[in-house]
Structure formats: C-alpha cells, structure tokens
C-alpha cells in the first residue's frame, strides 16, 4: 500500500526535525531550588505525585502584602520548561504570577507521555493548587496559556477546572482526530514529526506506542479504538463543559498549520458561548508566535496579553469591543475583523467541475501540499506557496478543472468545499484535492488542499464525495483563474490506492460537481 512508499521519507522528516528542536534546547532544565535573574526553579507534585519540573516568575514588587493574577503555562511538545521565560518575565512585569512547567513524560518531569490524557489535565489543576499555596497568586483570577501541546492542555484544563477564568490557546487543537486523520487519511509527515520528537525528548507510554503503531500501519481493525483515544483528548468533546464554566477563550492559529489545520479550530470557536476571540495569520505550526518566545515583539503574544489584562486584571483596553474574529490574509499585510466565523466567507461562488475524467493512481502528478513547516513558513515570510505548472500536469494521474479568468480580485476567505461523484475500481482509495491560483503563464500557487480516503466501497458503483479544503485567506489577482486539481499521492499523507486502481470523477445532471469558493463580501 501507499504508506510503505512514504515510510522512510516521513521517518527522516521526524528524526531531522527532532534533532533540530532538541539540539537548541538540551541542558536547559535547571535543578529545583535554583534561582536565576528573578526566576525560581521548583518541583511540583502533579497528578498521582508525579514530579513536574517548573519555574516561577513573580512581579518585582511582590512583598507578601497583596496577591496577583496567576498564569499557568504548560510546555509545548518536546520543549523544556524554559520555553516561556521571555514571555513569563514580560507578564510578571505587567503584574502576574507566572508558573510554567514541563508537562509529564518530557525532559526532567516524571511520568510518561499521555498526549493530553486525564493525568495531563489533572496536572494543570495540581499546578494551580501549588501556585495558590506557594506564591502570591489570587485564586479568583487564574488563567492558562500555551503553544501547541500546551494550548490543547490549556483548553482541556479550562473544561475541567472551574477556577480558570481565561485561556490563550496558541496553535493548538480542538479535534485531535480531525487534525491528524482528517478525511480518514493519515497525516504521516506531521505524526512522524511528533512521534520522533516525543521519542527523543520524552518517554512515550505503551498506549501511545500502540496508537502510533496502528496509525502508521493503517490498521483498520484499530481505527475505532484510535478515534476513541483521540476524542478523549479533544477539547471539542467537552465543549459543553467549557461553555458552562464560561472562561474567556482566546485562540490563534496559522492558515498553513500542517499539524493542527485551521478548520477544526474555527468549528470549535463557533460552538463557544462565552467571551471569545479567534485569530488566523499566515504561517505553519507555531511559527506565528515563535519570535515572541525569544522576547521579540509579536502580535500573537501582544493580543494574548491584552486578553489576560482585560479578563484577569480588569483593564478597559478595548479588546472586548473589537471584532472577535481577526484574520490576516496570506496576500496582504493588514488585519480584517469579522463578527463571527460564518461571516468570513459571506458569499460563495460555485466553480463547476464538468465532464467525466478518469485518473490512474499511485503516481505523484507534481501537485502536492509541500513540505511540513518549510512550505508554509516560506509562504509566511516570502509569500511563496507550493507551486505547480498546471498546464503540464500529466492528465493520466491528475484531474484538472479551471475557472474563467477573473476580471477583478477574488478575495478567498474561509473554507472551500468540493462536491463530486466518484466511481472507483477498487473498494479502497485516496484522493487529494488542491485549489490553485493560476497566473497567465500557467504557474499555479497553492491556495488550499485536503485529502480524502474511502474504504468498503463497491467497485464500479458511484458515490458522492463532499470534502472541506483547509480554510484560508488568499487574494487571487485580476487576470488569474482558479484551478482544482485532484491526484492520489502527496508526501504529507498516506495513500490507500491498490496498484492499478483508477478513479473516475463525473458530474451527473441531477447532481452536478462543483467547488464552492468562499469570498469576502465587497
């Protein structure tokens, strides 16, 4: 099957990425009791007595005569407890007690990697208990925040601990399965990276090792077990509890996040009923807030700080009166404000996918989603997304439809949706859909993509396919056109096409095929 062809490539990506991350952070976990530049390093008893390594930064004027709002920061996947020191100092200077800690299973903290399981959620509450007992923290003003893994744990903790009044979840997830298994397709590069980093910097539990083994072997007999495992670790599962607890929730992510794509975050945001804010920017996983970890001024951390200042310190800084959905397009430099997520793509335009097209499988046509981190980072920094010469894509392995040339700019905002009729020659298969901005010379720049896998279908019998592409904000220039390309192999994903399989796409008169393009209201 297709996953065999990608095994070496994805393992290499994970190993190299793990080496890069750990190479820059080895030796940065001081012993408990040490103090440096106003930072105190401590041991905290987590759930079941597991020792968590942490650090505490308090305001310079703390003399025991008053209390301060508390911020608890769980670390990202594979990073040591000093990850947030630059931000912790800044926040302490603003009047917060800040406690950051290494999540269980990583570095010097005890236990095994539970992947935001119940022990991780309980650990955050135990850290709050410790802070209330050992620092001048105010029990009425408690916030949690984190990047990536720390973001997911922060949301889960707020769902299970009513004391938490505000959250900042940066580059996190709401639905773990929809993040790494969307379209019933394994996101192999992303998961290999996480598995490699976890093996190098931590101690994976037996449960995690079993899940990863089933995942990479595409063991369908374990699929429901894997989904149940992911649901247990997904904030979306407990959204009703979060709404009942009512904390103020700030969420930020990147359009090109190849680990936690934006769709699942936007869907979760819409389910929240309390104070909330959603921000999307260009970039890949955690790249938008990365510079803030080094103390460089950063929009994400600035807004997170304003969020806490308003909801924990009572500052009238206006953040509650701003449009709660803030987007930065991949094509322009400014921010756009919207009252809610559904207003982002206020209008839609259907691009018809006429005719009948058959493609062969098992060969990469040249259209793909790029390389994890590198491609979206290049788009963030230089506005150079993955490209393909659309007229030259081999039609044996790629189906291609194009729109007319647009006479004015098309501001794509939100989630493009594919609807088509598919007839396979085998019971299982995978397709990957790509939306390209095609210039006058035929060069296509990737706007969005998404994979789709099916199992248990009757060969030769058509069925409908509905697929949401990853949400984005991209401006298609006047004189350009959009192209939808579908092929069957992409380095980012596992493919399930048996050798020699073919896929036929059709557009019946009573159920025409199309792509629905969301556009900003002019």
């Amino acid at each position: 099957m297709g996953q065999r062809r990608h095994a070496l490539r994805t393992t290499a990506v994970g190993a190299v990425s793990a080496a890069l991350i750990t190479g820059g952070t080895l030796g940065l976990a001081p012993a408990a009791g040490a103090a440096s530049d106003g930072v105190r390093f401590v041991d905290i008893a987590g759930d079941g007595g597991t020792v968590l390594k942490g650090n505490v930064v308090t305001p310079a004027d703390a003399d025991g005569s008053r209390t301060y709002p508390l911020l608890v920061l769980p670390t990202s996947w594979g990073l040591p407890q000093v990850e947030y020191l630059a931000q912790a100092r800044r926040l302490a200077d603003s009047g917060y007690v800040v406690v950051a800690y290494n999540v269980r299973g990583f570095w010097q903290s005890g236990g095994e990697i539970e992947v935001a399981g119940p022990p991780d959620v309980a650990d955050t509450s135990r850290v709050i208990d410790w802070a209330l007992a050992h620092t001048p923290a105010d029990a009425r003003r408690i916030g949690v925040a984190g990047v990536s893994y720390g973001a997911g744990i922060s949301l889960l903790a707020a769902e299970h601990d009513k004391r938490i009044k505000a959250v900042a979840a940066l580059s996190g997830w709401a639905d773990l399965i929809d993040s790494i298994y969307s379209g019933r397709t394994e996101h192999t590069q992303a998961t290999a990276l996480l598995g490699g980093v976890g093996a190098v910097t931590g101690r994976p539990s037996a449960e995690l090792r079993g899940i990863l083994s089933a995942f990479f072997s595409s063991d369908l007999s374990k699929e429901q077990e894997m989904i149940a495992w992911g649901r247990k670790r997904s904030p979306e599962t407990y959204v009703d509890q979060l709404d009942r607890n009512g904390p103020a929730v700030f969420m930020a992510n990147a359009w090109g996040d190849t680990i936690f794509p934006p769709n699942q975050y936007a869907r979760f945001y819409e389910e929240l009923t309390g104070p909330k804010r959603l921000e999307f920017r260009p970039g890949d996983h955690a790249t938008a807030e990365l510079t803030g970890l080094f103390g460089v001024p950063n929009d994400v951390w600035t807004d997170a700080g304003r969020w806490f200042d308003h909801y924990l310190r009572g500052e009238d800084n206006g953040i509650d009166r701003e449009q709660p959905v803030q987007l930065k397009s991949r094509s322009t430099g400014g921010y756009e404000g919207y009252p809610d997520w559904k207003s982002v793509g206020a209008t839609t335009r259907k691009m018809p996918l006429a005719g009948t097209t058959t493609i062969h499988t098992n060969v990469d046509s040249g259209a793909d989603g790029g390389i994890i981190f590198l491609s979206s980072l290049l788009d963030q920094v230089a506005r150079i997304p993955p490209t393909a010469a659309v007229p030259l894509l081999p039609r044996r392995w790629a189906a291609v439809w194009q729109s007319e040339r647009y006479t004015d700019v098309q501001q794509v905002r939100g989630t493009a949706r594919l609807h088509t009729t598919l007839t396979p020659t085998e019971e299982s298969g995978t397709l990957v859909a790509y939306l390209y901005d095609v210039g006058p010379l035929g060069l296509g720049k990737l706007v969005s993509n998404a994979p789709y896998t099916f199992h248990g279908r009757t060969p030769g019998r058509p069925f409908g396919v509905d697929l949401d592409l990853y949400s984005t904000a991209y401006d298609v220039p006047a004189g350009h056109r959009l192209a939808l390309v579908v092929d069957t192999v992409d380095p980012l994903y596992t493919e399930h096409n048996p050798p020699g399989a073919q896929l036929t796409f059709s557009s019946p008169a009573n159920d025409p095929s199309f792509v629905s393009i969301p556009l900003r209201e002019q």
Side-chain angles (χ1 to χ4, degrees):
M1 292 186 48
Q3 65 269 20
R4 303 290 188 265
R5 285 194 287 273
H6 297 321
L8 290 177
R9 175 164 42 192
T10 54
T11 300
V13 169
V16 169
S17 299
L20 289 173
I21 291 173
T22 57
T25 53
L26 281 169
L28 295 180
S36 174
D37 195 20
V39 181
R40 181 161 56 102
F41 295 94
V42 297
D43 286 350
I44 301 172
D47 185 54
T50 297
V51 174
L52 306 174
K53 297 293 183 177
N55 57 75
V56 182
V57 187
T58 55
D61 62 355
D63 57 6
S65 63
R66 55 172 293 197
T67 59
Y68 302 84
L70 169 67
L71 291 179
V72 172
L73 310 178
T75 53
S76 302
W77 184 272
L79 293 185
Q81 58 159 303
V82 296
E83 173 187 5
Y84 301 115
L85 275 185
Q87 286 301 319
R89 288 192 178 101
R90 183 183 68 83
L91 290 163
D93 289 342
S94 298
Y96 294 91
V97 171
V98 185
V99 180
Y101 71 96
N102 239 129
V103 292
R104 67 171 52 223
F106 286 100
W107 295 88
Q108 291 180 322
S109 284
E112 296 180 324
I113 301 173
E114 302 286 348
V115 194
D120 291 301
V121 178
D123 282 344
T124 304
S125 292
R126 300 293 80 77
V127 172
I128 292 173
D129 294 341
W130 182 92
L132 294 176
H134 296 89
T135 74
D138 186 342
R140 301 165 301 172
R141 298 182 291 168
I142 298 172
V144 291
V147 176
S148 185
Y149 193 42
I153 291 175
S154 293
L155 285 172
L156 288 163
E159 292 171 330
H160 291 82
D161 193 326
K162 295 180 180 179
R163 297 174 296 178
I164 296 171
K165 303 304 181 185
V167 182
L170 316 180
S171 291
W173 75 92
D175 185 334
L176 190 57
I177 292 301
D178 197 38
S179 296
I180 63 174
Y181 194 56
S182 70
R184 212 178 176 186
T185 308
E186 297 87 350
H187 295 206
T188 35
Q189 274 194 20
T191 309
L193 169 64
L194 295 174
V197 171
V200 171
T201 63
R203 298 168 299 283
S205 65
E207 182 183 35
L208 174 57
R209 292 195 298 272
I211 290 292
L212 289 176
S213 176
F215 183 92
F216 287 118
S217 64
S218 301
D219 185 350
L220 285 178
S221 70
K222 299 287 187 180
E223 184 181 37
Q224 292 308 310
E225 177 185 338
M226 182 187 73
I227 290 173
W229 175 88
R231 293 282 177 259
K232 191 175 184 179
R233 291 158 170 80
S234 296
E236 192 167 55
T237 302
Y238 315 100
V239 67
D240 290 344
Q241 293 176 213
L242 190 65
D243 285 338
R244 283 195 299 270
N245 291 346
V249 179
F250 174 92
M251 301 165 61
N253 205 349
W255 294 121
D257 194 321
T258 44
I259 296 181
F260 303 132
N263 301 44
Q264 43 92 34
Y265 236 28
R267 184 178 67 242
F268 179 73
Y269 171 83
E270 285 292 273
E271 296 179 45
L272 300 178
T273 58
K276 58 183 180 178
R277 183 179 175 98
L278 177 67
E279 298 184 354
F280 282 127
R281 296 173 176 83
D284 205 314
H285 184 65
T287 61
E289 55 266 31
L290 179 62
T291 57
L293 295 178
F294 296 98
V296 177
N298 176 281
D299 287 356
V300 185
W301 285 103
T302 295
D303 285 350
R306 293 174 61 222
W307 190 255
F308 287 129
D309 287 345
H310 178 74
Y311 287 102
L312 295 183
R313 298 179 63 213
E315 285 192 6
D316 185 14
N317 56 18
I319 197 167
D320 59 319
R321 296 188 295 275
E322 296 172 1
Q323 295 275 41
V325 175
Q326 294 286 322
L327 312 180
K328 178 180 278 191
S329 168
R330 292 163 51 200
S331 308
T332 59
Y335 285 93
E336 303 167 1
Y338 299 86
D340 49 37
W341 174 251
K342 63 179 177 291
S343 299
V344 171
T347 61
T348 59
R349 172 179 290 180
K350 285 187 177 180
M351 172 181 156
L353 309 178
T356 298
T357 302
T358 298
I359 62 172
H360 296 251
T361 64
N362 308 116
V363 173
D364 191 337
S365 70
D368 63 55
I371 301 172
I372 188 172
F373 285 127
L374 180 60
S375 296
S376 293
L377 183 60
L378 190 60
D379 186 32
Q380 175 185 354
V381 174
R383 295 181 185 168
I384 303 176
T387 59
V390 173
L392 301 181
L393 291 174
R395 295 326 195 244
R396 178 179 177 84
W397 295 296
V400 180
W401 298 267
Q402 296 192 75
S403 72
E404 74 283 2
R405 293 190 188 276
Y406 298 116
T407 57
D408 52 9
V409 174
Q410 303 294 298
Q411 293 182 308
V412 179
R413 299 289 187 274
T415 308
R417 294 180 169 90
L418 165 66
H419 173 74
T420 189
T421 296
L422 173 62
T423 305
T425 59
E426 303 288 343
E427 68 171 14
S428 294
T430 297
L431 62 91
V432 185
Y434 309 90
L435 189 65
Y436 283 102
D437 159 26
V438 184
L441 298 180
L443 182 66
K445 296 182 178 180
L446 187 65
V447 177
S448 185
N449 76 101
Y452 178 90
T453 293
F454 59 89
H455 296 289
R457 293 291 179 175
T458 301
R461 178 177 295 178
F463 63 93
V465 171
D466 290 286
L467 176 62
D468 284 358
L469 277 63
Y470 298 137
S471 303
T472 194
Y474 182 97
D475 295 352
V476 180
H480 288 211
R481 64 179 78 205
L482 284 170
L484 182 82
V485 176
V486 178
D487 73 1
T488 63
V489 177
D490 189 300
L492 291 173
Y493 313 112
T494 295
E495 50 121 339
H496 296 267
N497 298 294
Q502 298 177 32
L503 303 178
T504 297
F505 302 92
S506 58
S507 184
N510 63 342
D511 186 20
S513 297
F514 60 86
V515 178
S516 177
I517 308 297
L519 300 173
R520 182 184 182 189
E521 189 171 13
Q522 299 299 307

